[in-house]
Amino acid sequence: MMPNTILLVEDDKLFQSAFVRKFKDSFNVLSANDATEGLTVLERHKDVSVIITDMMMPGLNGVEFLEKTIECSPYAVRIMLTGSEEQKTAVDAVNRGNIFRFLNKPCSMELLMTTIEEAIDLYDSRMKERALLEQVYKRMLEGTDETAASPSEEAEVGVKGRQLDCLKWAIKGKTYEEISIILGISARTVRHYIIEAREAYGYASTTQALVRASKDFSIDPS
């Protein structure tokens, strides 16, 4: 099994070298000195699972960089390294860059390892759900899906407005981050609307809700 690929964007050469030495035996480690170089790496490597970046860098800062990575690496999990004086950027970073975890500098390699492992678990979960959705959609289009519930009326279910907007884009394979850009809301708000829709349907699984909505509202997943 191939190791997960992680990208570190950090202009501190000593930290970058120590990071690569520590994690190269556990992961496929890529590194970049600034945001511009990091975006170039991501264009060449579409399989990056985790992106770790410093907040303060020459050129684009960490928030601006992570915001740009949403388009080229929508499924990657994002981690921000910050100094204590930079905590005021936290809300902005969550809304614009969809940060999974903040780590204060300096942080130990042990904490970084634990955080990376948790991020990879999240990434793997995202990819499994994506694969499952693709399988279900294929069966649905072929007319061989017998697992989805029968269609119901919008008024009966109560899924409408922003909930439905978010479901429509999710059915088409967009991530929460991509939907947030399309609709002009935060990824956290997208997640909130989709959870509301799932609960309105009475399902425990988001995948079930997406399949049901695709039938209820005749949404083509392609």
Side-chain angles (χ1 to χ4, degrees):
M1 182 176 179
M2 295 291 292
N4 289 77
T5 299
I6 62 177
L7 168 65
L8 172 69
V9 182
E10 169 64 75
D11 61 332
D12 183 332
K13 295 287 190 180
L14 291 177
F15 180 83
Q16 187 182 123
S17 297
F19 184 96
V20 173
R21 286 197 305 271
K22 174 67 178 180
F23 298 113
K24 67 180 181 180
D25 293 332
S26 301
F27 311 108
N28 178 29
V29 180
L30 307 174
S31 61
N33 298 313
D34 56 36
T36 300
E37 189 176 325
L39 291 171
T40 299
V41 171
L42 289 172
E43 287 296 333
R44 295 174 180 170
H45 299 270
K46 299 298 185 180
D47 61 340
V48 172
S49 305
V50 181
I51 301 170
I52 305 167
T53 182
D54 192 8
M55 173 59 195
M56 300 304 296
M57 299 183 293
L60 297 178
N61 65 31
V63 175
E64 294 165 337
F65 165 65
L66 290 179
E67 187 177 16
K68 288 183 176 293
T69 68
I70 292 173
E71 182 175 352
C72 59
S73 300
Y75 296 100
V77 180
R78 297 164 179 81
I79 297 169
M80 175 81 78
L81 304 175
T82 67
S84 58
E85 71 279 2
E86 298 158 8
Q87 289 302 308
K88 62 183 179 180
T89 65
V91 173
D92 193 31
V94 168
N95 289 337
R96 293 171 55 192
N98 193 42
I99 310 299
F100 167 66
R101 192 72 50 81
F102 289 94
L103 296 179
N104 285 327
K105 297 174 66 177
C107 62
S108 68
M109 290 296 173
E110 289 71 21
L111 177 57
L112 268 171
M113 174 62 87
T114 299
T115 305
I116 291 170
E117 289 174 341
E118 291 173 352
I120 286 174
D121 285 343
L122 176 58
Y123 174 82
D124 289 344
S125 176
R126 287 177 177 177
M127 300 310 292
K128 286 177 183 177
E129 182 174 274
R130 178 188 180 192
L132 177 59
L133 279 170
E134 289 176 350
Q135 292 172 9
V136 172
Y137 291 152
K138 182 179 179 181
R139 292 199 302 268
M140 184 180 69
L141 292 173
E142 293 172 348
T144 60
D145 177 36
E146 300 177 352
T147 62
S150 58
S152 58
E153 296 298 326
E154 178 180 354
E156 179 183 342
V157 175
V159 174
K160 57 187 177 181
R162 280 301 202 192
Q163 295 174 358
L164 183 55
D165 290 339
C166 292
L167 285 176
K168 285 178 178 178
W169 286 111
I171 287 167
K172 292 180 178 294
K174 299 296 184 182
T175 65
Y176 292 172
E177 293 86 354
E178 290 174 310
I179 297 170
S180 73
I181 294 173
I182 292 169
L183 299 181
I185 57 180
S186 71
R188 179 171 292 184
T189 302
V190 172
R191 180 176 181 274
H192 171 73
Y193 281 130
I194 289 181
I195 289 175
E196 281 189 340
R198 186 195 71 200
E199 291 175 345
Y201 276 121
Y203 289 132
S205 162
T206 298
T207 303
Q208 290 175 302
L210 295 180
V211 173
R212 175 72 176 274
S214 67
K215 289 197 168 186
D216 282 1
F217 303 105
S218 301
I219 302 170
D220 184 351
S222 60

